[in-house]
Each structure stands twice: as C-alpha cells, then as structure tokens.
Amino acid sequence: REMRLELSENNGPASKQSSACYAPSHPTQPVANPENVDRCFVGNLNWKIDKETLLSAFESIGIKAEHVFWVTDKQTGDFYGSSFVTFQSGADAAMAVAYSDAGLQILKRPVKIQFSPHKNGVKTVENRKQPLRETSARPEGGTKTAFFGNLSFNLEEEQLRQFCEPAKIKEIRWLYHKDSGNFKGAGFAEFTEASEVDEVIKKNGMNLVGRPVRIDYA
C-alpha cells in the first residue's frame, strides 16, 4: 500500500528547552549553496518535538528559521519524525546543513538536514490528451478528493489549481518519500464538491507541465 503523506503546519505549545540543541562542533563556514536554496528537509526528529522547540533550537546556534511543515500520515495523522523547514535565507539553510554534517543533535537525536528546493517550473499547461490508465469506478456517493499521479517534479501548486478550473481546489497534499523528503510526483487534491471531482477526472491523461497526468478517485 502506498503511504500517503501530508504536510501540516503545527503551531503547538511553546516549550523552549535550553538543552534542546547540542552541537559537538561548530562549523565556521556554511556548505556550498550556489542556488541559494532556503528550504531544507529535516529528518530523524524526536517525535515529541514541536514547532517552537525546533525553531528555538536553530536560533540557539544562530540560525534563523521561519516556517515548519511536518510530514504526517494522511490517514492516521502520525508524525514521521520529518519536516520541511524554510529558513530566513539561503545562508541560514547552508549553515543548518553544515551543522547537520557536524553531528547536530536536537532533543538528543542526530538530525539529518539536506537542501530541498521549492518546486518551481514554467507556468504553462498543455492540454494535449494522451492514453493513460483508466480511472477506477466512482465511489458510491462520490468523493471530494482526487488522486494525481505522474506529476512533473517542477509542478507548482498554482499550476495544478489552474489545470483543474473551473473546479476549485480546497487543499493540496503532496506526497514525499519518508526518508529522503523528495517529491514523489503525486498528491491528493480536495475539492469543495464531489461533482467537481467528477469533472476533473475527465482530464485524466491530459498534459500538465509536459507530462500526461494520472487522475483518479481517492
């Protein structure tokens, strides 16, 4: 069974801990970051961590982090000990990676930090339809959620929203590999009405950013 992951922002209880962060050594220089990537995948986190603790841990070593998105299971909500952190600058992100390489620990666990560029690409959508796997039968009573597969790794959220118009997407949940944090080229979109999903399903096989997209009921 394919594991469905979602990203959620958790503002959780504030719990600053002076012992949250331990660095066996302090890098003097950030790692190379020629593309100035400001977002990182942060893995092997303690399951008890919250947003405030993670942000304050980075702050204690002089790194400014702004946003945290947790990787959780869509169905159970279980936390996988991974997150995506957007830093104030590419320099902060590069220093975070340097600290990870030096053995940085947060809440007594060595964290794995690596660059994870934001998805970006050409803002164009092709509507040429190509043969693709047939969709499954419509669930009884319909569904407000559709699965999207074979997506371009350069796809932006706004591109998917435009592709689905006039249907209105309420929420998008991208799928990521648990260990690496890499985008899996798939995701789920929740719409406001089941009838909108029925219409979007008809676009199964159309090109989206140069790839025939697979759309199915979820």
Side-chain angles (χ1 to χ4, degrees), residues 55 58-59 61-66 85-89 92-93:
L55 293 180
F58 282 121
E59 185 177 3
I61 52 176
I63 296 174
K64 298 293 185 180
E66 297 182 336
V85 177
T86 300
F87 294 89
Q88 190 174 82
S89 67
D92 284 301

Side-chain angles (χ1 to χ4, degrees), residues 138 143-144 167 192-200:
R138 184 180 190 269
T143 176
K144 294 182 180 180
T192 55
E193 301 290 341
S195 59
E196 292 180 308
V197 175
D198 295 333
E199 290 303 311
V200 170

